[in-house]
Amino acid sequence: MPRHTRLLGADAAAIAEAAALLREGGLVGLPTETVYGLAADATDGRAVAAIYEAKGRPHFNPLIAHLPDTESALREGRFDADAQALAQAFWPGPLTLVVPISAACSVSELARAGLETLALRVPAHPVAQAVLAATGRPVAAPSANRSGRISPTSAQHVLADLDGRIDAVLDAGPTAIGVESTIVACLADGPRLLRHGGVPRSALEAVLGRPLAVDEEGGAAPIAPGLLASHYAPEAHMRIDAAAPLPGEAWLGFGPEPAGAPLPALARNLSPAGDLAEAAANLFAFMRALDDGAPQVIAVAPIPASGLGDAINDRLRRAAAPR
């Protein structure tokens, strides 16, 4: 049913109200250090179903369960030595670990998409941590946008997609990282990188002490979020690795702008200085701003394939995939 979406602040009263809504089965836009999440009680199948309904999300795509601390996460999943090392190094932070469920796992089967594994994260954002602690149970929180659309990095982005479809949004300002968490599966076949994100692959390998296998193919039944081939997609078509915009195209630049013809009126630069952290933080907001201008094509400058550039390129490839 249509509902009035309240825009809340990020003070103690707002945090308490958000936690109460979650315990009652409601939906809340929640800030994290990566992007804003659409939070619901992960133990409540009806609340999880409401996430899928609000997002229009395919039911085979599992959700990340967010916990306030590592101790809580260890109760939900079975961590091998690699998972324990990664959790110790990067939690709280922008890393999601896919592990086998524990005997005491309380995350609903619907949130796990019927799998015997689950995706867990301990976010670093203080507002997210406070809401999770006050809620007292795992919270499912995929990105707070309509499924397949550009991920939200502000409360206003959440409202643009979900106003009237969720109960509330906590406004803690723009997110710091701007791309989703890195996802690593720690299962029987050893650790595998499933999605590039806020923790670079090189940092993961430094902790593991060996190269990390990479599995980036989004199959028909992915074991983690964000693995569908067409994802994070604007309405416009995306032309990536472009040297310059063609006539009639919008332009998403990176670094020094191409010499020659003037840029189109519909243009943004992720980072004129070529700073990948700045580019990641700006990515979804700038894609959304360009898409709002209703171009047919958004041309995107090449992004270096290193560090956070891996995550940015992953999102751009998915945004450009056939759909």
Side-chain angles (χ1 to χ4, degrees):
M1 293 178 60
R3 51 182 99 183
H4 172 65
T5 300
R6 297 193 58 201
L7 181 62
L8 305 175
D11 57 10
I15 288 167
E17 181 174 350
L21 285 168
L22 291 172
R23 289 194 299 270
E24 293 163 4
L27 300 180
V28 176
L30 180 68
T32 78
E33 71 274 25
T34 55
V35 299
Y36 274 69
L38 178 52
D41 180 356
T43 71
D44 180 348
R46 294 185 65 175
V48 172
I51 289 180
Y52 290 126
E53 182 179 15
K55 286 178 62 72
R57 187 184 183 103
H59 283 214
F60 51 74
N61 204 3
L63 305 177
I64 297 171
H66 294 68
L67 286 306
D69 50 53
T70 302
E71 182 181 357
S72 301
L74 290 171
R75 289 196 290 268
E76 300 293 330
R78 292 187 283 116
F79 286 58
D80 62 15
D82 290 323
Q84 290 180 40
L86 292 171
Q88 182 176 1
F90 299 110
W91 279 355
L95 175 68
T96 293
L97 295 175
V98 178
V99 297
I101 62 172
S102 71
C105 178
S106 63
V107 175
S108 73
E109 186 174 9
L110 185 59
R112 295 186 279 109
L115 301 172
E116 295 300 302
T117 59
L118 79 164
L120 295 168
R121 181 159 94 90
V122 178
H125 197 290
V127 174
Q129 288 187 334
V131 171
L132 294 170
T135 302
R137 60 195 71 166
V139 168
S143 57
N145 57 293
R146 298 299 297 272
S147 186
R149 294 297 309 278
I150 300 169
S151 296
T153 54
S154 72
Q156 289 67 38
H157 292 164
V158 178
L159 290 173
D161 264 13
L162 298 175
D163 192 13
R165 303 177 70 87
I166 65 177
D167 295 293
V169 182
L170 286 165
D171 187 353
T175 61
I177 294 177
V179 293
E180 288 87 347
S181 60
T182 302
I183 302 180
V184 176
C186 292
L187 303 173
D189 55 352
R192 289 182 292 134
L193 179 64
L194 302 184
R195 181 177 78 181
H196 293 285
V199 177
R201 177 181 176 182
S202 58
L204 299 167
E205 291 177 337
V207 169
L208 293 171
R210 62 188 188 278
L212 182 61
V214 180
D215 180 7
E216 299 177 88
E217 294 300 318
I223 67 169
L227 301 184
L228 298 178
S230 176
H231 211 68
Y232 319 104
E235 295 293 333
H237 292 284
M238 303 285 289
R239 186 170 70 88
I240 59 177
D241 294 324
L246 299 175
E249 293 181 336
W251 174 246
L252 186 60
F254 176 81
E257 296 291 10
L263 293 179
L266 200 56
R268 295 286 192 278
N269 193 307
L270 292 169
S271 174
D275 184 322
L276 288 171
E278 180 184 17
N282 287 331
L283 178 63
F284 289 128
F286 284 10
M287 284 174 60
R288 187 181 290 267
L290 292 176
D291 201 42
D292 285 345
Q296 289 193 330
V297 177
I298 299 172
V300 187
I303 307 295
S306 61
L308 282 174
D310 289 330
I312 295 169
N313 282 310
D314 175 76
R315 302 308 185 273
L316 290 171
R317 284 193 298 270
R318 295 181 191 280
R323 55 186 189 273

